[in-house]
Amino acid sequence: MLAASLAAGNAIGTLPVVGPQSANASDTAPDADAPQARPRGNPDLELPDLLRQDRDRAEGEPNGTEGPEGGIGIPATALDAYKKAERTLHSARPSCHLPWQLVAGIGRVESVHASGYGLRTDGSTVKPIRGPRLDGRQFALIRDTDGGRWDGDAEFDRAVGPMQFIPSTWATWGADGNGDGVNDPNNIYDAALTSGHYLCSGGRDLNRSADLDKAILRYNNSREYVNAVRDWMRTYQGGKVAATPDDAPAVPYHPDPADARGPAATRQPGSVRTGSAAPPRAERNQESGGSAIVRPEKEVEPSTTSRPAEKPAKKPVRVPDPNAGAGHRPVVGHRTVTRLETIGGESLGDQTTGKAFERRAQVRGLDARGHGVAGVEVTYRITGSTGTHFPGQATTATVTTDHSGVALAPTFLAGAQPGPFTVIATVPGRHGPITSTFVATVRRAPASVADRLELLASQPLLAGINSRFSELPEVRATALARPVAGARLTATVLNGTDGEEEARRATVGPYFKDKHGDPVRTLVLPETDAEGRLALPELFTGECPGTYTLRLTTAEGVSLDLPLAVRETALGRPAS
């Protein structure tokens, strides 16, 4: 087993390396103004040790990072999120060359892949992952930028989610990694894709060592952080990575030292942990401008070389959790809505004019802790030019949220004009209105199909030259003997009463007038009414006597012929 362990250790030296193991800060100065790079919590800076993992496997010691058959384990949903981010970035930013193992390295250092937080298959977690309040005491001072929407704190920001994003960074870079229409830093699919975009920003090529270091330093301005991320990335690149169950037992790693309230977990020397139960100690990082870098406590391992025993680290100042603790007054009241959650997606589908939409707009009002807020009035407003409306022709409706914070809009009817429209849900917020938008489309009703055309009165159509035919009969369109509303007919004047239509198209004789008053012998008629009826427009005789045919035709080819006779003497009304 020792030989196998040594072989595994030596294999690390032959892994495909993307840049040096230790970066030089002199040529990779990060963006000092990026809030994401400032001290914002405790990353897990413990480095991978495959020799140690081999020994643990031999002794049957669980470490929370192993997969089947001795592979390196990553929770299945986290692994899928990292690989999906790589595929997306390879299409969106091919010149960046983002490896999924880099994203996984950041996920490992920031939250140990959300292990122990109840990772679900949709990428969400049962318990939120939050860093400390950035109130300037132990970490950076970053005042609230999201109204408490993501971190539950409307006074100071906190890093959130499996990749520990500052809310202001998320507001700029947040992406939808799972296609649900929501950019949520607490979802590992969204967070992994956003990490990819953030690392690739600035036109970086991550195949270049300098660009790789700049990208990681912009995520966290710490040389130890860069080394830890790169070591985990190389480990994932060079070893067999296996998907482990999302719900495998694990101790969550707390980026907020105030969360590590229990006694230190008992571990065998050399075991690999998934989280730290004891608060890490802060050291000063000289290579990154003296910023405070939080470093986990190291185990005292057996050694043949004597060295002075380290003094116990002082317990760090405990930062109150804004979402816990008896007697703590939350910054945002429990009846204050901080965001609206869209239920069932933003698209309400489409519907034909005059019919009711099957889906109704629905939102849930949530407070800063993510709890539904009851008794809040939500106003739904329909915008657009389709004429869509709620019952009673209203375009606004106000609904009160139920006990779980849900407000369901009334049914709305598709208007007469086809096209897109929006439904906007609004509630009053602490800093202004909070909205959520739905989209829908009104489509034109399919044209009615008639199988028969008939005259409602039978009378000869006879008139003299230079006059008009009087009292033209009405026509009715039917289908299976029932009236067809909305049928469109075309009227065409033909010569004589026999022969093909194309050969008989008249160039003289009876005519209609178009909207400009010009004579035409082919005219598209208005739609039939609700009873399937259509009154023919005025038909003028012209100067040439003879026999003609007025042919009425539907779009489907159903036709009706009306014989016309024009005499040399004026028999009808004079033409005007």
Side-chain angles (χ1 to χ4, degrees), residues 459-465 467-473 510 539 541 545-547 562-573:
Q459 58 189 43
L461 299 180
L462 179 65
I465 59 174
S467 64
R468 72 185 77 181
F469 294 94
S470 60
E471 298 180 2
L472 291 174
L539 181 61
T541 61
T547 57
L562 285 70
L564 304 175
V566 179
R567 302 290 179 85
E568 293 186 1
T569 57
L571 299 176
R573 290 185 293 169

Side-chain angles (χ1 to χ4, degrees), residues 10-153:
N10 291 336
I12 297 298
T14 60
L15 297 182
V17 176
V18 185
Q21 292 193 23
S22 296
N24 184 349
S26 62
D27 63 347
T28 56
D31 180 0
D33 294 329
Q36 192 68 30
R38 301 172 65 187
R40 51 179 166 75
N42 290 344
D44 183 2
L45 299 180
E46 186 170 68
L47 303 180
D49 185 345
L50 293 187
L51 285 172
R52 180 183 298 173
Q53 293 178 28
D54 284 344
R55 183 177 64 207
D56 291 340
R57 284 194 292 271
E59 298 174 355
E61 185 73 32
N63 61 32
T65 61
E66 293 183 15
E69 301 178 2
I72 304 167
I74 295 178
T77 296
L79 182 60
D80 184 54
Y82 302 148
K83 292 184 176 181
K84 188 173 182 180
E86 178 193 66
R87 293 193 298 270
T88 301
L89 267 296
H90 278 193
S91 298
R93 302 189 180 198
S95 61
C96 175
H97 302 110
L98 174 80
W100 69 261
Q101 294 90 343
L102 171 59
V103 184
I106 289 184
R108 174 60 177 77
V109 171
E110 292 292 354
S111 69
V112 193
H113 313 303
S115 298
Y117 285 91
L119 184 62
R120 302 186 180 102
T121 56
D122 65 355
S124 63
T125 57
V126 175
K127 296 179 289 186
I129 308 173
R130 291 173 179 166
R133 298 185 84 197
L134 299 178
D135 54 8
R137 298 181 190 178
Q138 186 177 356
F139 300 98
L141 173 61
I142 304 179
R143 299 194 182 277
D144 175 66
T145 59
D146 68 335
R149 176 183 182 185
W150 298 121
D151 56 12
D153 193 327

Side-chain angles (χ1 to χ4, degrees), residues 22-309:
S22 296
N24 184 349
S26 62
D27 63 347
T28 56
D31 180 0
D33 294 329
Q36 192 68 30
R38 301 172 65 187
R40 51 179 166 75
N42 290 344
D44 183 2
L45 299 180
E46 186 170 68
L47 303 180
D49 185 345
L50 293 187
L51 285 172
R52 180 183 298 173
Q53 293 178 28
D54 284 344
R55 183 177 64 207
D56 291 340
R57 284 194 292 271
E59 298 174 355
E61 185 73 32
N63 61 32
T65 61
E66 293 183 15
E69 301 178 2
I72 304 167
I74 295 178
T77 296
L79 182 60
D80 184 54
Y82 302 148
K83 292 184 176 181
K84 188 173 182 180
E86 178 193 66
R87 293 193 298 270
T88 301
L89 267 296
H90 278 193
S91 298
R93 302 189 180 198
S95 61
C96 175
H97 302 110
L98 174 80
W100 69 261
Q101 294 90 343
L102 171 59
V103 184
I106 289 184
R108 174 60 177 77
V109 171
E110 292 292 354
S111 69
V112 193
H113 313 303
S115 298
Y117 285 91
L119 184 62
R120 302 186 180 102
T121 56
D122 65 355
S124 63
T125 57
V126 175
K127 296 179 289 186
I129 308 173
R130 291 173 179 166
R133 298 185 84 197
L134 299 178
D135 54 8
R137 298 181 190 178
Q138 186 177 356
F139 300 98
L141 173 61
I142 304 179
R143 299 194 182 277
D144 175 66
T145 59
D146 68 335
R149 176 183 182 185
W150 298 121
D151 56 12
D153 193 327
E155 186 177 1
F156 297 101
D157 270 349
R158 304 174 72 177
V160 294
M163 311 301 276
Q164 286 292 281
F165 273 103
I166 297 293
S168 60
T169 306
W170 186 264
T172 301
W173 295 97
D176 180 11
N178 59 355
D180 65 354
V182 179
N183 301 346
D184 186 351
N186 298 294
N187 187 291
I188 199 166
Y189 283 101
D190 296 356
L193 179 58
T194 300
S195 295
H197 281 293
Y198 188 71
L199 293 165
C200 288
S201 62
R204 294 188 178 92
D205 180 356
L206 300 183
N207 278 345
R208 298 180 63 246
S209 177
D211 279 4
L212 178 61
D213 278 359
K214 288 177 183 178
I216 302 174
L217 284 168
R218 189 164 180 256
Y219 209 103
N220 188 311
N221 185 8
S222 159
R223 183 56 40 198
E224 291 185 350
Y225 184 92
V226 173
N227 292 342
V229 169
R230 294 186 71 148
D231 278 2
W232 281 109
M233 177 185 71
R234 281 190 293 269
T235 298
Y236 295 138
Q237 287 174 328
K240 179 182 177 182
V241 179
T244 59
D246 293 337
D247 58 356
V251 177
Y253 180 80
H254 297 290
D256 183 358
D259 284 339
R261 299 181 177 90
T266 301
R267 296 189 286 121
Q268 297 294 330
S271 66
V272 180
R273 57 178 168 74
T274 60
S276 174
R281 57 189 175 87
E283 295 183 354
R284 193 60 61 176
N285 181 13
Q286 301 298 329
E287 292 185 77
S288 60
S291 60
I293 300 302
V294 179
R295 185 172 185 170
E297 288 295 326
K298 296 291 185 180
E299 293 285 342
V300 179
E301 300 192 15
S303 173
T304 58
T305 303
S306 62
R307 56 183 177 181

